[in-house]
Amino acid sequence: MALTRPIGWMFAVVAALMLAACGGGGSPGDVHPGTDPAVVPGEPNAFLQFPNPQVQPDGSLQTTSNAYAQAYYAAIDPNNTKDTLAKWKAANGFDTGTGAQLTVVFGDVRDLGFGRRITARQNIDGTLAFYTENYLVKTGGAYAFSPINLEAAIVRDPNALVYVAGIEFSPGPAGGISFAKYFNFNVATGARENMADVDGRGDKAMPGPCIVCHGGRADALTPPDASGNVHFNLLLNAVSGARGDVLGQLPPFEVSSFQFSDKPGYTRAEQEPMLKAMNKWVLCSYPLPKPSTFPEDACRRAASAGEWQGTAAELIKAAYGGDGLPNSTYVEPAAPASWTGAGQTSLYAMVVAPACRVCHQLRGTGRQSDIDFTSYEKFQSYANRIFATVTNRGDMPLAKLVYDTFHASPGEAALADYLVALGLPARDAGGAVLRPGRPIGDPGPDRVVRNGATPLSASNSLFADTYVWSIVSGPNGALPPKDATIMNANSAQPTFNATTDGTYVLSLVASKGAVRSEPKLLSLVVQTALTPDPSVIRFADIKAALQDGKECQGCHAPASALHPPIAFTNYDRDGDGGITPTDDAWFYAEVRSRINFTEIAASPLLQKPSGHHHFGGLGEGFDTTLAPGQPGRAKYDLFQNWILNGAPR
């Protein structure tokens, strides 16, 4: 077994990224707490990436490829009517004199460090478009905020223009309900581009650098259809019913986090009215979970239970004085009531508001909204994932500037203390806050295996290049067990061999130079009678488990009232009028896209039916409170062993 370690992120402990050029708002400053680690493909310090960038069987990363961007643009603009900035602006009504058009200029202090000039439109048909010029005067090669960037945006310095992007909220190519679409244009030629380097950490394929922070999903592309074309996946909980609707949203303009000029025409007082108008337009793009008589909600369509519920509307309304938006200026909202009631207002103000809020409030659905962090209870339910992604992996906060600011702020210590209070080791023995970058061994999840040779892998370990495996105990605690060995115990890919049934505990220590990780234990439950043999599990076995007539298939169906994003039933996925082997290949790609090869146990395919953040609760055969090999977690063991073998077709 050899699992490629992809670039990680998690579900999202991240700050706002971009509106239009993807922008939001938050805490000031660009601080680098130490030397930046080198950007190495597959390491978690490569920011603005999804947790599973769709690792393909050959080890390549699909969501970082040109093919992914091409398929996305083909879905939202199949006839290339918007393949240049000029054509995109014309299609969205810029400078035509109809509808309403506004321009604002401010400093993006928190997210990406740019000076930003955003021109926005609300057309008479209700469609929206935001065109953003991003200016950066590099100092020492760093992408960092400076007032100079704001000045460059004011004068539109062509030498400082580094990134041009657009977002539109409009119907898809076939019409219907509007959804958000993301574009990137060449700063010199205006040609639409597949890749964008928005943080100086390398090119990233569209729409990834936007939708990671806009509530979007990055599912796998379909396999080729009868014409040899791959397509963007169709998410069944997208109300638009359109390919290319990745469920991304428009984040609020958090005005209190922006920097403004003191030059006439560009002061905060002069920009505030236009920013409020733009926030009202953004509000119009949000679905409405329950009827409202307030005028700012009249433009919002009713929300489907299976989609995001327009949660960010609460921030916009609170910032302008509540329902009716009575205030003319944006005021940073107070902590929500549940945070105040739990005595956690400081944690909210120091961690959630500057480093998590804007992105997280764009996630979740009406069926399961824990990831939006709008209540203290929801944040607490993600404590283990926060520890994994912030303290260990370092892929949260997701944007480089926010990451640096967070780790140089009092919020870092506040979060560490909070995690320690919950029993999570976010400080070392001397009391120092643990930061990403230290070696962490990862031997993979506890599992049930057959007797004989079992491949192991340390490839998901962090910040490490040497590994030492050992056997801690055998059945009934025997040490050393005479019936078990590890071949190539000083490698990342050793082989464990046991001839006697029982539970074996292994240890992995990972190192980087002279720095060693804490030992990480792995339990292997050896069962001679285990069927099927983990090495022969294929998608047909997974499909049979998903379609056994029990919980999974009952909810995950195309016509389900629950509106899941993926169906586990057989249906005409490729739209050719029948159910063919091609549909099965597309089904396989959909299921495989729910696997996180960076952290297998965090895969939605495993985590959700095992009761973690899933509307359906504990699925039959997915009880992870049981030890590997127990009947009550038989499906979990089946799926896990399939994934550990590379999830073969």
Side-chain angles (χ1 to χ4, degrees):
M1 175 187 67
L3 296 180
T4 300
R5 178 174 42 171
I7 303 166
W9 81 297
M10 190 273 286
F11 303 106
V13 183
V14 350
L17 198 53
M18 312 176 233
L19 173 62
C22 309
S27 63
D30 177 49
V31 184
H32 298 268
T35 303
D36 292 338
V39 180
V40 179
E43 289 288 353
N45 66 301
F47 297 92
L48 307 183
Q49 297 286 357
F50 280 91
N52 175 21
Q54 304 306 338
V55 182
Q56 300 305 290
D58 64 359
S60 63
L61 308 181
Q62 191 182 85
T63 62
T64 65
S65 67
N66 271 293
Y68 201 76
Q70 290 165 356
Y72 175 68
Y73 285 136
I76 63 173
D77 184 27
N79 297 317
N80 289 325
T81 58
K82 303 172 184 177
D83 61 356
T84 68
L85 178 58
K87 291 162 70 173
W88 180 86
K89 291 172 68 176
N92 283 287
F94 282 89
D95 304 322
T96 63
T98 59
Q101 182 167 316
L102 299 169
T103 298
V104 294
V105 180
F106 58 86
D108 172 21
V109 174
R110 182 178 70 182
D111 299 329
L112 297 174
F114 298 129
R116 284 194 157 148
R117 175 179 287 267
I118 299 180
T119 301
R121 283 196 58 79
Q122 184 182 53
N123 294 306
I124 57 175
D125 61 0
T127 59
L128 306 171
F130 300 82
Y131 154 56
T132 304
E133 299 171 359
N134 295 278
Y135 293 85
L136 177 72
V137 179
K138 296 182 183 179
T139 55
Y143 275 51
F145 179 74
S146 164
I148 299 174
N149 298 343
L150 172 56
E151 293 305 307
I154 290 173
V155 301
R156 305 183 80 174
D157 178 0
N159 296 316
L161 181 60
V162 294
Y163 176 45
V164 177
I167 293 180
E168 65 178 76
F169 179 76
S170 63
I177 293 175
S178 293
F179 61 95
K181 308 171 190 66
Y182 306 87
F183 297 81
N184 171 43
F185 299 102
N186 185 282
V187 297
T189 67
R192 190 173 66 201
E193 293 191 322
N194 293 336
M195 298 286 176
D197 181 0
V198 298
D199 60 0
R201 312 288 283 185
D203 281 339
K204 302 168 183 68
M206 293 291 291
C210 291
I211 66 174
V212 289
C213 236
H214 281 227
R217 296 174 60 110
D219 288 46
L221 302 178
T222 71
D225 61 14
S227 301
N229 298 316
V230 299
H231 301 276
F232 234 69
N233 220 319
L234 178 63
L235 300 175
L236 297 183
N237 62 332
V239 178
S240 68
R243 294 191 188 278
D245 185 352
V246 296
L247 306 181
Q249 310 298 334
L250 308 180
F253 290 93
E254 293 194 21
V255 182
S256 59
S257 73
F258 300 162
Q259 184 174 105
F260 297 90
S261 175
D262 57 4
K263 291 185 176 180
Y266 300 98
T267 65
R268 174 168 180 170
E270 292 168 296
Q271 301 283 294
E272 278 272 16
M274 295 178 289
L275 283 163
K276 181 178 180 180
M278 289 186 185
N279 267 327
K280 291 175 68 174
W281 296 351
V282 167
L283 185 63
C284 286
S285 73
Y286 295 167
L288 188 65
K290 59 183 179 181
S292 169
T293 59
F294 295 100
E296 69 272 16
D297 296 325
C299 54
R300 301 168 64 187
R301 64 167 176 80
S304 160
E307 68 173 326
W308 177 69
Q309 301 294 289
T311 310
E314 298 172 13
L315 177 72
I316 293 176
K317 290 199 172 194
Y320 290 106
D323 287 325
L325 309 181
N327 297 343
S328 60
T329 59
Y330 183 105
V331 177
E332 175 65 23
S338 69
W339 288 85
T340 302
Q344 296 289 351
T345 54
S346 293
L347 184 68
Y348 182 86
M350 297 169 69
V351 177
V352 177
C356 312
R357 182 177 63 197
V358 172
C359 193
H360 276 267
Q361 69 184 347
L362 299 179
R363 295 193 173 275
T365 72
R367 296 298 180 186
Q368 178 48 257
S369 61
D370 284 3
I371 200 170
D372 67 25
F373 292 175
T374 54
S375 75
Y376 170 70
E377 293 75 18
K378 292 177 181 180
F379 184 82
Q380 188 176 44
S381 75
Y382 268 88
N384 287 327
R385 297 303 308 138
I386 293 168
F387 174 72
T389 57
V390 177
T391 305
N392 290 348
R393 304 197 64 84
D395 46 22
M396 286 291 124
L398 190 59
K400 182 65 169 64
L401 182 55
V402 186
Y403 174 94
D404 286 343
T405 303
F406 170 76
H407 283 291
S409 75
E412 181 191 56
L415 180 62
D417 290 339
Y418 170 75
L419 295 173
V420 168
L422 295 177
L424 296 166
R427 289 183 180 270
D428 65 17
V433 173
L434 291 178
R435 286 181 170 176
R438 67 196 190 283
I440 298 175
D442 184 354
D446 296 342
R447 53 194 179 271
V448 59
V449 301
R450 270 196 172 188
N451 65 330
T454 296
L456 305 176
S457 177
S459 62
N460 287 336
S461 298
L462 300 172
F463 310 107
D465 53 21
T466 58
Y467 311 93
V468 176
W469 299 76
S470 60
I471 301 175
V472 175
S473 64
N476 301 315
L479 181 68
K482 297 180 180 180
D483 55 354
T485 60
I486 299 177
M487 295 180 59
N488 300 317
N490 293 333
S491 72
Q493 310 284 331
T495 300
F496 172 75
N497 198 309
T499 57
T500 301
D501 284 6
T503 299
Y504 296 80
V505 178
L506 280 58
S507 171
L508 170 65
V509 175
S511 302
K512 183 74 171 181
V515 183
R516 293 157 51 94
S517 73
E518 294 294 324
K520 182 66 182 292
L521 300 182
L522 165 68
S523 291
L524 296 177
V525 179
V526 176
Q527 292 183 354
T528 303
L530 177 64
T531 56
D533 185 327
S535 66
V536 302
I537 300 172
R538 295 295 183 267
F539 179 61
D541 302 296
I542 304 304
K543 180 179 175 181
L546 293 171
Q547 297 183 344
D548 63 1
K550 298 180 181 178
E551 286 189 6
C552 295
Q553 193 175 13
C555 297
H556 287 264
S560 171
L562 298 179
H563 302 292
I566 178 176
F568 295 146
T569 56
N570 297 325
Y571 73 99
D572 182 16
R573 283 174 157 82
D574 64 354
D576 66 356
I579 299 177
T580 67
T582 299
D583 294 304
D584 202 58
W586 287 32
F587 186 12
Y588 167 68
E590 290 178 7
V591 172
R592 197 177 188 279
S593 76
R594 268 63 179 180
I595 298 170
N596 182 345
F597 284 103
T598 303
E599 294 181 89
I600 290 171
S603 298
L605 185 63
L606 291 175
Q607 191 177 58
K608 288 187 176 181
S610 61
H612 303 296
H613 310 292
H614 188 249
F615 180 73
L618 190 68
E620 183 175 333
F622 283 89
D623 187 353
T624 54
T625 65
L626 300 174
Q630 296 297 305
R633 58 171 275 165
K635 282 186 182 178
Y636 187 93
D637 289 337
L638 175 76
F639 284 31
Q640 180 177 259
N641 277 325
W642 176 61
I643 294 168
L644 286 163
N645 197 33
R649 171 80 190 277

